[in-house]
Amino acid sequence: MASVIKVNLPQQSYDIAIAPGSLEQLGEFMTNLHLGKKVLLVSNPTVFQLYGETAIASLKAASFEVASHILSDGEHYKTLASIENLYNTALENRLERSATMVALGGGVIGDMTGFAAATWLRGINFIQVPTTLLAMVDAAIGGKTGVNHPQGKNLIGAFHQPRLVLIDPDVLKTLPIREFRAGMAEVIKYGVIWDAQLFAELEASQRLDEMGHIHSELIDTILTRSCQAKADVVSKDEKEAGLRAILNYGHTIGHAVESLTGYRQVLHGEAVAIGMVAAGQIAVELGMWTQQQTQRQDVLIEKAGLPTKLPAGLDIEAIIEALQIDKKVKAGKVRFVLPTQIGAVTVTDQVPADIIRQVLVRM
Ligand code: NAD
Ligand code: GLY
């Protein structure tokens, strides 16, 4: 039985379906959506080799006509040039308005496929089949799609909601441990910003650093509660007019760390973990939450095998400068999401640079 979470939106609501083994039922899930017959499956060589055959067999068994497009693996290929190749495959296969693109992969594949689907023929259907923990709990939900510009990450994009997010937790068994841990950073984030019960369940687990050491019931809780948190926030604020900004908890300092380390040395989730530690400390300095609360958060981050310190050699003034050119700057002021309780945050642009500096020096 699948757990189903609804993303309620004014124009088009959709389900997030979570069930072990559901990749084999991809075709059946899609049949219920009454889509056109043509499907373009988009993946990368790593994921396609592992799961492409299962996905294609399921789609064919449900009478879909399937073509595939394999993008090179890695953030480095999240470019407009890759999208142009994808359009060529769409053209060769005469993908019409009723056709569907299916993203089978992590956040990179999901963001790119979503962007191609948003722009091909001014918008066709797309389905997210996320295969990393990070994509399952975050990237695949909410309709942010896009590619990088040489000058910055995700600068080109569109909001385009999927028709379905299908999560098969079994595929996490092949995910490299470091990628699993990076996804756990976003899970811990939901515990801090939205869901105190999820936070408590994470605290109760002996280990969070490896899929194989986490009870399958907790994996289920992690997926359902994280997806529910993201669905709740996106349903209330689809286009980030206000509330959705809270999903950027840990991302202000995190993005600066990612950008200063060239998006290679530190994974996104690792940078978010460092950013959450910094945000927690800033909130303590501002008297918004307690040292004990920030310690509880940091214990979870460590238990997930994630970093809590800045990478060695990173220049603190460079971080402060990088904050000024981040997307989260509004009217010249750096926006921080800061915790006020376990399960609640606030957004502020009133953090003095001296406090940021003081906190970073200690990390
Ligand atoms: P990723 O897509 O690069 O995947 C990480 C690695 O894991 C890749 O090498 C991939 O081939 C491999 N992989 C994926 N699934 C696997 C599996 N089941 N078994 C074995 N290997 C597997 O990284 P990611 O962390 O999933 O996504 C990062 C991207 O997501 C970034 O580009 C980021 O900007 C984007 N993102 C988007 C949103 C959004 O709201 N749209 C949110 C967060 C992140
Ligand atoms: N990952 C942040 C958002 O979806 O808004």
Side-chain angles (χ1 to χ4, degrees), residues 11-337:
Q11 301 225 316
Q12 187 182 272
S13 299
Y14 57 93
D15 288 346
I16 305 165
I18 308 170
S22 57
L23 186 61
E24 287 176 20
Q25 288 146 23
L26 171 62
E28 269 171 67
F29 274 94
M30 282 175 55
T31 301
N32 298 333
L33 298 172
H34 308 293
L35 307 162
K37 281 288 155 217
K38 282 199 177 173
V39 169
L40 181 61
L41 181 81
V42 184
S43 193
N44 70 26
T46 318
V47 178
F48 191 78
Q49 199 192 15
L50 290 162
Y51 304 112
E53 211 175 292
T54 308
I56 289 174
S58 170
L59 288 166
K60 286 190 173 163
S63 304
F64 287 104
E65 275 172 44
V66 192
S68 49
H69 183 90
I70 307 301
L71 293 158
S72 301
D73 190 357
E75 185 73 33
H76 182 62
Y77 297 99
K78 193 176 158 185
T79 60
L80 278 177
S82 299
I83 297 291
E84 201 170 347
N85 284 331
L86 189 35
Y87 292 148
N88 291 339
T89 304
L91 191 66
E92 277 160 25
N93 290 281
R94 304 196 186 291
L95 281 207
E96 296 165 0
R97 270 266 168 78
S98 63
T100 305
M101 292 190 189
V102 174
L104 176 70
V108 170
I109 291 297
D111 277 15
M112 282 205 281
T113 309
F115 184 67
T119 45
W120 181 251
L121 304 181
R122 298 196 181 87
I124 65 168
N125 301 310
F126 98 107
I127 308 283
Q128 290 274 21
V129 186
T131 62
T132 63
L133 180 59
L134 185 134
M136 289 176 184
V137 299
D138 186 4
I141 307 163
K144 281 190 182 176
T145 74
V147 294
N148 301 329
H149 182 274
Q151 298 300 315
K153 212 169 123 91
N154 296 331
L155 287 183
I156 306 156
F159 281 100
H160 188 56
Q161 299 290 345
R163 297 289 309 277
L164 167 75
V165 181
L166 183 65
I167 297 177
D168 181 347
D170 286 350
V171 305
L172 293 175
K173 289 175 187 154
T174 55
L175 189 67
I177 288 174
R178 193 173 166 203
E179 298 290 349
F180 179 79
R181 293 174 179 178
M184 279 303 300
E186 302 286 358
V187 172
I188 295 168
K189 176 190 83 177
Y190 292 122
V192 177
I193 68 168
W194 196 256
D195 185 349
Q197 173 68 33
L198 171 62
F199 192 95
E201 303 231 13
L202 297 174
E203 278 187 318
S205 177
Q206 281 250 312
R207 308 246 326 233
L208 293 173
D209 56 337
E210 273 184 49
M211 167 96 172
H213 291 292
I214 303 176
H215 204 283
S216 62
E217 276 168 26
L218 181 59
I219 294 289
D220 189 46
T221 302
I222 283 171
L223 290 173
T224 49
R225 293 198 83 99
S226 301
C227 290
Q228 186 69 61
K230 178 119 191 204
D232 287 349
V233 173
V234 169
S235 297
K236 289 188 165 76
D237 177 19
E238 182 183 0
K239 301 267 170 78
E240 204 168 318
L243 177 74
R244 188 165 175 167
I246 69 168
L247 298 174
N248 290 327
Y249 177 54
H251 288 56
T252 309
I253 300 284
H255 275 174
V257 169
E258 269 185 290
S259 117
L260 291 169
T261 50
Y263 298 102
R264 281 173 198 273
Q265 189 188 330
V266 182
L267 295 180
H268 175 71
E270 293 168 346
V272 168
I274 295 165
M276 290 194 292
V277 173
Q281 288 296 336
I282 290 170
V284 171
E285 290 298 327
L286 294 175
M288 295 167 68
W289 80 334
T290 64
Q291 190 65 41
Q292 191 227 5
Q293 286 168 316
T294 207
Q295 259 165 13
R296 282 174 65 194
Q297 167 193 264
D298 297 357
V299 165
L300 282 192
I301 292 171
E302 273 172 17
K303 193 157 65 170
L306 286 160
T308 54
K309 301 257 171 238
L310 289 171
L314 212 57
D315 179 25
I316 285 166
E317 291 312 315
I319 299 179
I320 295 192
E321 207 171 298
L323 294 178
Q324 299 297 330
I325 48 170
D326 189 84
K327 273 193 294 187
K328 281 173 288 305
V329 171
K330 212 174 178 186
K333 293 193 164 169
V334 183
R335 260 193 313 168
F336 274 90
V337 181

